[in-house]
Amino acid sequence: MSPSPLRIVTYNVRYFGHMLRGLASTVGPKRRVAAALASLDPLPDVVCLQEVETSSLRSNIADRPKTPGETQLTAFMGRMVETFDMLGREMPYEAFYFRAHRYKLGELSLYTTGLAVLVNTRRLEVATHNVDAPQAITHHHVQRLKDRKQSRICAHMRLLRREDRHPFHIFNTHLSLPTPFAREFWATRDKMGCGINQLHEARKLTEFMQTLSGDEPYIVCGDFNSPPASPVFRYLTTDGHLTCAQAAVGQIDPNLSRGFPTAGFMHMRMHLDHVFSGAGVRWLDTQETAPFGDPRSRFHGLSDHMPIIARFALDGARPLITPPPGLGGPVLSP
């Protein structure tokens, strides 16, 4: 029998602060996002989250930590446990956090940024990860503002499917907004995905992924702040040799930038979130992926983004024998 397909979700959760327009995190969105994820059938095997805090004034002021030192991801995973308990099921996910940036006023953290990956450990085994040192991909267009610019990173995990121990890689990222300090920013009507800094970050991301994955299958997902048909999207799908999951299953036309919005701000609708893959991944469907503003979605109103949910098969993946050079042995989560 062929190994069963896998399912992935990528979701910008806006620090679980959408109820207060991103000003502060609250417990309600944590519970509702947890309930929405737990209700997916089949359950996702990997959940990649963007805009997740560690601990700061913004994350704690409206949702006080239950225990000293509790992080936002720890609090969210507590809501996940509660949700699965109510459903009478065991919570299968192990969470990994990847720090990106911290904005401080003296010793006070005003807000922090980061990425998270949840792994369904019933179906997958974690071989390696870069939690301790996420890959920096930020392009600093103005060097004297380097320390003030929000750091952009790429989270990486090498996973093994327990069913047959086939390896594959997951990369999670969040690219910068286009820089206004470049002439090109003011010369184009459509800004998103056209920034020279975004193209630099896309190149860094591609080089990192190709070097680390070798000839093993890999998936990269996240908030790219770039719509289809933009220079960044075209670079990733041509020079970067990546396949867009939504385009592969016919959900979007990759030549249209506004056909399927995944994010919204006031009256603007934008397609900023994507799931891409390298060789060895075959996309099967994107069931339950809905455009921003669709009231029928279980994720409607939970963030200023909507998740992309995709199912895939690993084609041509080889059973694990030894880790690729430079990856080392298994690494446990902290």
Side-chain angles (χ1 to χ4, degrees):
M1 293 180 61
S2 300
S4 54
L6 297 167
R7 203 178 197 196
I8 187 169
V9 172
T10 182
Y11 192 18
N12 183 326
V13 292
R14 200 189 188 188
Y15 314 108
F16 303 102
H18 191 58
M19 286 180 63
L20 299 181
R21 300 184 182 275
L23 294 176
S25 304
T26 55
V27 67
K30 295 186 184 74
R31 288 196 174 115
R32 286 192 283 276
V33 170
L37 289 172
S39 66
L40 290 173
D41 185 20
L43 281 176
D45 299 290
V46 180
V47 179
C48 293
L49 303 176
Q50 300 86 45
E51 294 197 21
V52 179
E53 289 234 30
T54 47
S55 180
S56 71
L57 180 65
R58 180 173 66 178
S59 67
N60 295 335
I61 192 170
D63 184 17
R64 306 300 297 176
K66 304 298 183 294
T67 58
E70 181 184 62
T71 66
Q72 186 172 78
L73 183 59
T74 304
F76 173 66
M77 294 308 291
R79 306 294 79 75
M80 288 285 284
V81 171
E82 288 177 0
T83 299
F84 277 90
D85 282 347
M86 287 189 295
L87 295 171
R89 297 152 59 191
E90 182 180 352
M91 204 279 292
Y93 293 104
E94 183 175 2
F96 298 79
Y97 185 72
F98 305 80
R99 294 174 181 265
H101 202 90
R102 180 170 64 160
Y103 289 88
K104 296 177 61 179
L105 181 62
E107 293 303 312
L108 176 66
S109 291
L110 297 177
Y111 69 95
T112 54
T113 63
L115 308 169
V117 179
L118 279 53
V119 178
N120 185 335
T121 55
R122 291 179 190 163
R123 301 256 289 154
L124 301 172
E125 177 184 332
V126 177
T128 59
H129 59 67
N130 67 350
V131 162
D132 293 332
Q135 181 70 15
I137 61 170
T138 318
H139 178 73
H140 298 284
H141 194 77
V142 180
Q143 287 299 314
R144 69 175 179 272
L145 300 179
K146 181 177 180 179
D147 294 336
R148 298 183 183 181
K149 183 176 184 339
Q150 187 176 126
S151 299
R152 302 295 178 170
I153 60 171
C154 180
H156 167 251
M157 304 197 77
R158 183 171 183 261
L159 303 172
L160 309 176
R161 184 167 54 189
R162 291 190 183 276
E163 193 173 352
D164 54 9
R165 295 187 64 76
H166 277 179
F168 66 102
H169 298 255
I170 293 292
F171 297 92
N172 182 15
T173 195
H174 187 178
L175 297 192
S176 294
L177 292 166
T179 177
F181 296 104
R183 181 174 55 188
E184 294 84 357
F185 179 85
W186 304 105
T188 58
R189 176 176 176 271
D190 294 322
K191 314 294 186 186
M192 305 300 281
C194 298
I196 188 66
N197 60 318
Q198 294 180 298
L199 280 168
H200 280 297
E201 290 177 358
R203 291 189 186 101
K204 288 182 181 179
L205 175 67
T206 301
E207 291 169 3
F208 173 62
M209 294 189 301
Q210 291 176 348
T211 299
L212 209 57
S213 62
D215 60 354
E216 294 178 341
Y218 68 94
I219 292 171
V220 57
C221 60
D223 180 351
F224 290 81
N225 277 315
S226 305
S230 67
V232 166
F233 185 94
R234 290 199 301 269
Y235 172 82
L236 292 171
T237 54
T238 54
D239 296 54
H241 306 292
L242 296 178
T243 297
C244 171
Q246 289 180 282
V249 300
Q251 187 174 47
I252 68 165
D253 181 343
N255 298 308
L256 298 178
S257 62
R258 294 183 174 84
F260 193 102
T262 64
F265 175 72
M266 300 181 70
H267 297 296
M268 292 188 293
R269 298 292 181 265
M270 300 162 285
H271 190 159
L272 306 179
D273 306 88
H274 303 285
V275 179
F276 298 104
S277 63
V281 175
R282 178 166 48 91
W283 295 106
L284 303 176
D285 62 62
T286 51
Q287 290 180 7
E288 299 201 62
T289 299
F292 184 86
D294 186 344
R296 297 169 297 178
S297 171
R298 67 191 77 211
F299 295 93
H300 176 66
L302 302 186
S303 172
D304 59 349
H305 288 250
M306 291 287 278
I308 295 177
I309 306 163
R311 203 164 56 100
F312 63 96
L314 296 175
D315 292 338
R318 297 193 304 271
L320 175 69
I321 300 175
T322 57
L327 286 183
V331 181
L332 300 178
S333 62

